[in-house]
Each structure stands twice: as structure tokens, then as C-alpha cells.
Amino acid sequence: MALLLVPHDDPRLLALVRAQEREVMARYGVADAGPGLGPSSTCLLATEDDDDAGCVGVAPLAPGVGEVKRMYVAPRHRGRRLAARLLAAVEEEALRRGFHALRLEAGTQQPEAVAVYERAGYQRIPCYGNFADDPSTLCFEKHLTEPQG
């Protein structure tokens, strides 16, 4: 897997974000997947054999706190722990950008994503932001530490 740092409006990234939005909207039966990636977001694009495989972004949420946004692995690339590698990579990038914690929103209809986050050490927190009162939303946080070694 190769990881590329790309701008929030990179066409290859946007194609994956649109696929992620379609999947989320279908799972929840909604017409809007919520806020996406903006100019202040740091975005990673994962490729495998010149195929766009997945993406993730981190956006500033509060001083020293970032929010993981639009984590997605294309269906044809699932089952190879790519999500875990994307999450680890965005955590490293967040540390480089001065974040000491990451938060994220997921949902009750995304058990695969929830499992990835929990395995990576994210802990449930009270929900916040646009989905604070949405019973289908789950929120998580992880305090980041510098890599050992």
C-alpha cells in the first residue's frame, strides 16, 4: 500500500469520499452524510497497484484535537487490514500536525468501522457536533502518544 498526502479537493480522493457518502446514506436511509473534508483537512489517499483503495482525513476540531473524517476502504480492497493501516497513518500525521487527541463519529450501522476503532484503542465518549443527539451515532476518542523506538 502506498499513502499519498493529497489536498481535500483531489479528484481521486473525492471519488472515494462520494463512494463513502453513498454507502453511509444507504445504511442509514438519509440524504446527507454530514460534513466532509475542507481546506483545513489533512487527507491521505491509499493506493494499491495504482488503484485508489481508501482514504482518511483529519480536521481541526479544538485546540490540540483533531477529528478523523471520511475513513473509507473501497469494497474491492476490504479484508486486508487497510482500514487499520489508514487509521495508524492518520494518527501519525495528526501527531506531526500538533494534535494530541483524535475524535471521530461512527454509527450503529457500521460495526466493521467500530471494530477497527476499538481495536486501535479508541474509547467511547459522549457524542458531539452535528450528531450529538442522534441515537444512531457513536463517538470515540484516542489520546495520541509519540511512537516508541
Side-chain angles (χ1 to χ4, degrees):
M1 172 182 80
L3 279 173
L4 308 169
L5 198 58
V6 297
H8 79 284
D9 57 356
D10 180 280
R12 295 167 62 188
L13 174 75
L14 291 177
L16 289 168
V17 167
R18 284 191 296 275
Q20 185 263 352
E21 290 173 344
R22 283 191 301 273
E23 187 171 321
V24 167
M25 291 185 297
R27 284 188 187 207
Y28 293 95
V30 297
D32 181 13
L37 299 165
S40 62
S41 300
T42 300
C43 305
L44 297 173
L45 175 71
T47 63
E48 286 192 341
D49 300 322
D50 295 323
D51 188 24
D52 299 332
C55 62
V56 64
V58 62
L61 186 63
V65 179
E67 184 177 28
V68 175
K69 307 284 281 177
R70 302 299 182 198
M71 175 109 137
Y72 181 70
V73 175
R76 64 192 172 278
H77 291 280
R78 292 182 184 164
R80 293 181 271 177
R81 299 195 39 82
L82 182 57
R85 296 189 329 234
L86 274 167
L87 190 57
V90 83
E91 289 173 4
E92 289 176 21
E93 191 61 36
L95 276 169
R96 279 194 287 279
R97 301 208 179 248
F99 296 118
H100 59 78
L102 287 177
R103 293 182 186 156
L104 60 89
E105 297 172 333
T108 56
Q109 301 301 311
Q110 296 167 272
E112 310 90 342
V114 169
V116 168
Y117 301 136
E118 289 177 339
R119 277 193 304 267
Y122 284 76
Q123 302 293 315
R124 289 272 307 268
I125 61 170
C127 284
Y128 59 91
N130 293 338
F131 301 101
D133 298 321
D134 184 339
S136 68
T137 298
L138 304 171
C139 292
F140 296 85
E141 180 176 74
K142 181 177 180 178
H143 293 274
L144 304 177
T145 58
E146 295 292 333
Q148 303 300 312

